Amino acid sequence: MKHCYCWAFAFLLSVYALSAQEIQKIDSINAILVQNSSLKTDSLLVIFENNLKAAQKIDYKKGIGEAYKNLATIYGYEANGEKRVAYNLKAIRIFEENDLKPQAANLYGEMGYGMKRDNMEKAQYYMNKGLKMAEEGNYKEVLDRTYNNYGVLKEMQGQLDSALYFYKKGLAIVEERKYTEGLPYSYSNLAGAYGQMGNFDLARDYFYKAKVIREEINDRKGIAENFTQIGEVYLIEGKPAEAVPFFEKSLLIARKEDYRFLMQYTYQQLSETFKQMQQTDSALYYFEKYAVFKDSINSLETTKQIAALEVEFETEQKENEILRQRTQLAEKDLEVRRKNAYIFGSLGLSIILGLLGYLIYSRQKQKNRQLQKEKELQVALAKIETQNRLEEQRLRISRDLHDNIGSQLTFIIISLDNLNYMLKDTGQEVKERIAAISAFTSVTINELRDTVWAMNKEVITVKDLQMRISNFIDQAQSSRRDVDFQFKYKEKHLQKLEFSAVGGINVYRIIQEAVNNALKYAEAQTICVKMEISDSKYKIVILDDGRGFDINGGKSGHGISNMQKRANDIDADFKISTSVNKGTTISIQSKA
């Protein structure tokens, strides 16, 4: 019998040793830096998929989560947004369910960074969540990267001083940890910020410092990024010809590394570079490359699937939070009952009936409160879910209008400019028609931007409308310096008045129509827009000293009927006063 025990103990030791070796192997593969690897993305996918299976076989949770995270990073380089989000969410679940806080903090930051171009609001939400977890646990191996990535979000929003602050915090931790692989990211981030601030020489110095380190550690993807970034500095500096070789070097490496997102971005930068150099053929060539690449990796269906995955993840988190709250309520309820039972036992038989009645009443009241809270919570969650869906739908539509239709109209303008150049020996009438089509397309783009501006807002404040009108008046003044434009504004109790998105854009369109009519047909020397706000009412008046017209002559045109219809749509009073050689006055105001 003793001999059998020895064999069993030896067998357990051998199993433990094998498991430890497997875990060490899984961790070493997961520690491979995807960015610095010389392997192609297809090879990396096979390696990490096999590593995931190995971790799942022995139920090694940390290894499973890290493998999911690495797979998400690779799909990000391939510009496969749907799989990037799906694998990141799987990794987050593994980390949170197994109390792997440093890994969860790091991945929340990475998720926020990955969403920076799609949804800045969600990007900041996830980034802040990861940063808070990392700071609470003082996870320096997470903080250095998260500070750097948070600086990128600030830079994209034009907050350059804040970006520099976070970049320097990240660099300090990288240097403290002597983390060589992290230095290029800090240097590149600082360089980008200095470039936008106009310090071009310092920006290039930092980019070259980053490139030297990346060459030492054979970070091919990072070297490609640095070439693109150096080219961007020359482009911002107004030296497009010097930017071209760097963009071309970046494309050469990005193709070899199958870095699709960088290829798409660099095509766009080359198109802009040749446009600045007035080489329209090359600009159009690279713009078509960019457009084809973008369409192939940014389909509307993929965007829908990513949004669905994010909603599923957020819903699951909300449900888990509700379950936690219910558990806490149940524990508190149990604690109250135990205390009450102790009190009842000590008081004696004389007051048992009274206390029993009180206990029943307390329990019922508490139950009612709990049910009421649960009902209120369900209603609140339903409202939030509905608002989120409406907001996502509105943002999706506005983004589709801006990205797809806007890009197509821009493509038309570039094509017309190119056509005009190719037909330089053609008659004046053809050139004028091409110029008219190009001008009409530019006007359409401006009107599309106005519509997207309105769609992106739940409400339009008076301040928003005031700034929009002021910008329009400034543009009109710059285009017609022979006309005196005026914008007069009075306000009282500004905070009480807000327009819906439809109401705000209709008011703005009426003002646009009135001013454009005065410019086109009235031959006015002075055009004045007056805006008066009082409590929850408004009045807007557009006056000109032009030649006017006979309003009863039956030739008022579609412009006035369009303005009348827009006023009716927002339940506003519309009036027009004009006569021949006496100017025109148009007013709209809220009904009493």
Side-chain angles (χ1 to χ4, degrees), residues 462-472 487:
V462 173
K463 201 70 176 176
D464 290 336
L465 187 59
Q466 177 198 356
M467 292 175 64
R468 204 72 181 179
I469 295 170
S470 181
N471 289 337
F472 171 66
F487 180 38

Side-chain angles (χ1 to χ4, degrees), residues 3 97 100 125 159 249 268 284 426 438 471:
H3 190 64
E97 288 171 0
L100 297 167
Y125 167 76
Q159 302 172 20
K249 289 177 183 178
Q268 184 183 25
L284 183 57
T426 310
S438 180
N471 289 337

Side-chain angles (χ1 to χ4, degrees), residues 149-211:
N149 289 343
Y150 198 68
V152 174
L153 265 60
K154 293 295 182 184
E155 183 178 336
M156 290 178 69
Q157 298 175 80
Q159 302 172 20
L160 297 180
D161 290 335
S162 297
L164 281 175
Y165 170 77
F166 285 107
Y167 290 155
K168 289 177 180 177
K169 287 190 74 171
L171 177 59
I173 297 176
V174 169
E175 290 175 338
E176 178 187 342
R177 294 178 57 218
K178 297 181 180 179
Y179 180 41
T180 303
E181 288 81 358
L183 284 172
Y185 295 99
S186 292
Y187 289 154
S188 295
N189 289 336
L190 284 167
Y194 283 127
Q196 291 196 55
M197 297 172 80
N199 198 336
F200 305 119
D201 291 335
L202 185 58
R204 277 189 288 270
D205 287 344
Y206 271 111
F207 278 134
Y208 279 116
K209 286 175 70 175
K211 189 170 77 69

Side-chain angles (χ1 to χ4, degrees), residues 535-546:
D535 293 326
S536 59
K537 299 178 181 178
Y538 65 90
K539 181 177 181 180
I540 300 172
V541 181
I542 306 97
L543 310 94
D544 69 72
D545 61 356

Side-chain angles (χ1 to χ4, degrees), residues 40 211 215 219-227 246-259 262-263:
K40 294 290 186 68
K211 189 170 77 69
E215 287 170 346
D219 179 3
R220 301 290 295 167
K221 295 181 178 69
I223 295 169
E225 288 178 354
N226 281 146
F227 278 131
F246 291 97
F247 289 140
E248 290 175 342
K249 289 177 183 178
S250 174
L251 274 177
L252 185 63
I253 298 173
R255 286 193 195 100
K256 290 181 179 179
E257 297 299 317
D258 198 23
Y259 193 171
L262 184 62
M263 290 171 65

Side-chain angles (χ1 to χ4, degrees), residues 460 499-508 570:
I460 296 177
F499 296 89
S500 67
V502 174
I505 196 65
N506 275 327
V507 169
Y508 180 70
I570 59 175

Side-chain angles (χ1 to χ4, degrees), residues 124-366:
Q124 291 199 137
Y125 167 76
Y126 286 121
M127 187 71 75
N128 282 322
K129 193 167 184 177
L131 189 58
K132 183 180 178 182
M133 292 174 68
E135 287 178 338
E136 287 176 351
N138 195 27
Y139 308 133
K140 291 188 176 180
E141 70 278 11
V142 177
L143 281 172
D144 58 359
R145 189 173 182 86
T146 307
Y147 280 139
N148 270 298
N149 289 343
Y150 198 68
V152 174
L153 265 60
K154 293 295 182 184
E155 183 178 336
M156 290 178 69
Q157 298 175 80
Q159 302 172 20
L160 297 180
D161 290 335
S162 297
L164 281 175
Y165 170 77
F166 285 107
Y167 290 155
K168 289 177 180 177
K169 287 190 74 171
L171 177 59
I173 297 176
V174 169
E175 290 175 338
E176 178 187 342
R177 294 178 57 218
K178 297 181 180 179
Y179 180 41
T180 303
E181 288 81 358
L183 284 172
Y185 295 99
S186 292
Y187 289 154
S188 295
N189 289 336
L190 284 167
Y194 283 127
Q196 291 196 55
M197 297 172 80
N199 198 336
F200 305 119
D201 291 335
L202 185 58
R204 277 189 288 270
D205 287 344
Y206 271 111
F207 278 134
Y208 279 116
K209 286 175 70 175
K211 189 170 77 69
V212 167
I213 296 174
R214 281 171 166 159
E215 287 170 346
E216 290 174 356
I217 62 178
N218 198 29
D219 179 3
R220 301 290 295 167
K221 295 181 178 69
I223 295 169
E225 288 178 354
N226 281 146
F227 278 131
T228 292
Q229 290 160 341
I230 294 169
E232 286 180 298
V233 174
Y234 280 115
L235 191 60
I236 296 171
E237 194 177 359
K239 298 177 179 179
E242 296 181 41
V244 171
F246 291 97
F247 289 140
E248 290 175 342
K249 289 177 183 178
S250 174
L251 274 177
L252 185 63
I253 298 173
R255 286 193 195 100
K256 290 181 179 179
E257 297 299 317
D258 198 23
Y259 193 171
R260 300 177 190 176
F261 176 79
L262 184 62
M263 290 171 65
Q264 173 195 336
Y265 181 76
T266 308
Y267 281 139
Q268 184 183 25
Q269 294 301 102
L270 275 168
S271 177
E272 179 62 28
T273 302
F274 283 112
K275 184 178 178 183
Q276 288 189 22
M277 295 168 66
Q278 296 183 346
Q279 296 182 21
T280 54
D281 288 345
S282 297
L284 183 57
Y285 170 78
Y286 282 109
F287 182 83
E288 289 173 346
K289 285 269 191 182
Y290 159 72
V292 169
F293 226 95
K294 181 182 177 186
D295 290 341
S296 68
I297 63 178
N298 290 333
S299 69
L300 183 59
E301 186 59 34
T302 299
T303 304
K304 288 180 181 178
Q305 291 170 344
I306 291 173
L309 285 169
E310 291 173 354
V311 169
E312 180 184 346
F313 174 67
E314 291 172 3
T315 302
E316 181 180 326
Q317 286 201 320
K318 289 174 184 176
E319 289 174 350
N320 290 337
E321 182 63 28
I322 292 170
L323 288 174
R324 282 195 290 270
Q325 290 178 0
R326 287 179 177 175
T327 302
Q328 290 173 358
L329 287 172
E331 289 174 352
K332 290 179 181 178
D333 185 45
L334 182 60
E335 184 180 354
V336 170
R337 279 189 247 173
R338 286 173 179 170
K339 289 180 180 178
N340 286 340
Y342 177 77
I343 293 170
F344 293 153
S346 65
L347 288 178
L349 294 176
S350 60
I351 53 172
I352 287 178
L353 292 176
L355 289 176
L356 283 173
Y358 177 78
L359 178 62
I360 293 170
Y361 170 78
S362 296
R363 288 179 61 189
Q364 187 61 40
K365 187 176 180 180
Q366 191 170 10

